[in-house]
Amino acid sequence: MNRSELRTRQGHSPNVRFPRVLGIECAGTVAASTDPTLPEGTTVAAVMGEMGREFDGGYAEYALLPNSLLMPVTTTLPWDGLAALPETYLTAQGSLDALEVAPGNKGRLLIRGGTSSVGMAAASIASGYGIEIAATTRRPGKIDALTAAGVDHPLLDTGESLTARVHAVWPEGPDYVLDLIGTSTALDSLRLVRRGGTVCVSGSLSGWLIRDFEPIAMIPSGVKLTAFHSDNFKGSAGTSVLQRVIDQVEAGVYRPNIDRVFSLDNIVAAHRYMENNQASGKVVVVP
């Protein structure tokens, strides 16, 4: 499950026409195929490409998808473990790439929305790179989850500017900010990052739009603003990246960060669980 599905259900995606089966990602076995390179029985995953928006998506017991969206993978992971990876880890990896965070880089990374599924995945990857990480959560009870994910400096986000708390850790500010909250925090992130640093907005936990955004006035001189959208990793573009993530999970380098698994029959309860911000990591639904 993904936060964007929750927002679509709430009516915040004006281009989506109902009725619609939601779900911007899925993983499973090919039951019937028109592509000889994807025979029946192939293990596949899929993300984005208007799945769950323009056409029915991953909440279906049998999802009917364009061949071009399918990513064939090889894995020994259980279904809930595999299902927790595609959208989450592809977004996390793409965001870190956009920030130019890489192995051997000794910079300082702030993750806003750290206990979201993408935040936990990004912390897992960046920790493996050897990056010093701070990450935020709005709930004191989730501090331990951040530490377990590899975060060096868990920070409690009270909804106000993080300047004092971040500067207590890094007086000059972070080199990179991965902002998964988005519209309500992006401007504060731009003020937080050091001169020459980069902010990547990859999440919409607080909504889709920054109203009255004036780039010249609001982006500090020398600071870079970028973004990542997982649609860039759909289909063949993401297959090798996802397989690399799966291999790392199977080797114990990363972990899926599953918070809770629901049955498809309990999708309403799953949405309520996400809507109440109870999860620390990925919520997975299985048939």
Side-chain angles (χ1 to χ4, degrees):
M1 286 184 59
N2 297 277
R3 181 69 58 161
S4 65
E5 296 151 9
L6 173 63
R7 294 192 61 77
T8 296
R9 177 181 61 77
Q10 293 170 332
H12 299 299
S13 299
N15 294 331
V16 177
R17 294 186 178 184
F18 293 97
R20 176 64 66 226
V21 177
L22 300 178
I24 64 169
E25 68 174 320
C26 62
T29 300
V30 174
S33 177
T34 60
D35 185 343
T37 67
L38 296 166
E40 294 179 13
T42 303
T43 299
V44 296
V47 299
M48 302 303 292
E50 292 302 312
M51 180 178 14
R53 297 177 59 81
E54 185 175 313
F55 55 89
D56 289 343
Y59 289 14
E61 185 177 359
Y62 290 92
L64 179 62
L65 304 179
N67 292 329
S68 60
L69 282 188
L70 299 182
M71 297 182 283
V73 295
T74 301
T75 182
T76 58
L77 294 174
W79 284 118
D80 56 352
L82 176 60
L85 300 179
E87 176 70 15
T88 295
Y89 268 89
L90 289 178
T91 301
Q93 185 65 68
S95 300
L96 294 176
D97 291 347
L99 286 167
E100 299 184 352
V101 173
N105 187 320
K106 298 302 180 183
R108 299 159 294 187
L109 169 67
L110 170 64
I111 303 172
R112 304 194 73 157
T115 50
S116 66
S117 59
V118 175
M120 301 281 277
S124 180
I125 296 171
S127 177
Y129 288 172
I131 303 290
E132 187 177 358
I133 306 166
T136 68
T137 179
R138 289 178 293 176
R139 299 197 175 192
K142 294 185 177 182
I143 293 291
D144 288 345
L146 290 176
T147 302
V151 173
D152 303 288
H153 309 289
L155 304 175
L156 189 63
D157 186 351
T158 61
E160 300 175 352
S161 174
L162 285 176
T163 300
R165 272 156 286 179
V166 171
H167 285 177
V169 176
W170 299 320
E172 296 179 1
D175 300 288
Y176 318 100
V177 179
L178 172 53
D179 197 323
L180 300 170
I181 299 174
T183 57
S184 68
T185 56
L187 299 181
D188 188 54
S189 294
L190 288 167
R191 292 187 290 264
L192 271 174
V193 72
R194 68 164 180 81
R195 184 179 177 89
T198 305
V199 175
C200 179
V201 179
S202 298
S204 59
L205 296 178
S206 61
W208 304 112
L209 300 175
I210 302 175
R211 300 193 181 279
D212 302 317
F213 180 54
E214 301 179 29
I216 294 176
M218 295 178 174
I219 302 177
S221 179
V223 170
K224 291 168 282 188
L225 173 63
T226 188
F228 177 78
H229 193 291
S230 57
D231 203 49
N232 295 333
F233 272 169
K234 66 185 178 186
S236 60
T239 302
S240 62
V241 181
L242 179 58
Q243 186 64 60
R244 186 169 74 243
V245 168
I246 290 170
D247 294 343
Q248 294 284 64
V249 171
E250 290 180 341
V253 178
Y254 306 157
R255 62 174 185 161
N257 293 314
I258 299 171
D259 178 272
R260 187 168 171 182
V261 179
F262 289 84
S263 70
L264 188 57
D265 290 341
N266 289 323
I267 192 68
V268 173
H271 264 250
R272 286 175 177 160
Y273 187 75
M274 176 176 284
E275 195 165 8
N276 292 332
N277 297 313
Q278 293 175 267
S280 296
K282 191 70 169 179
V283 177
V284 175
V285 178
V286 296

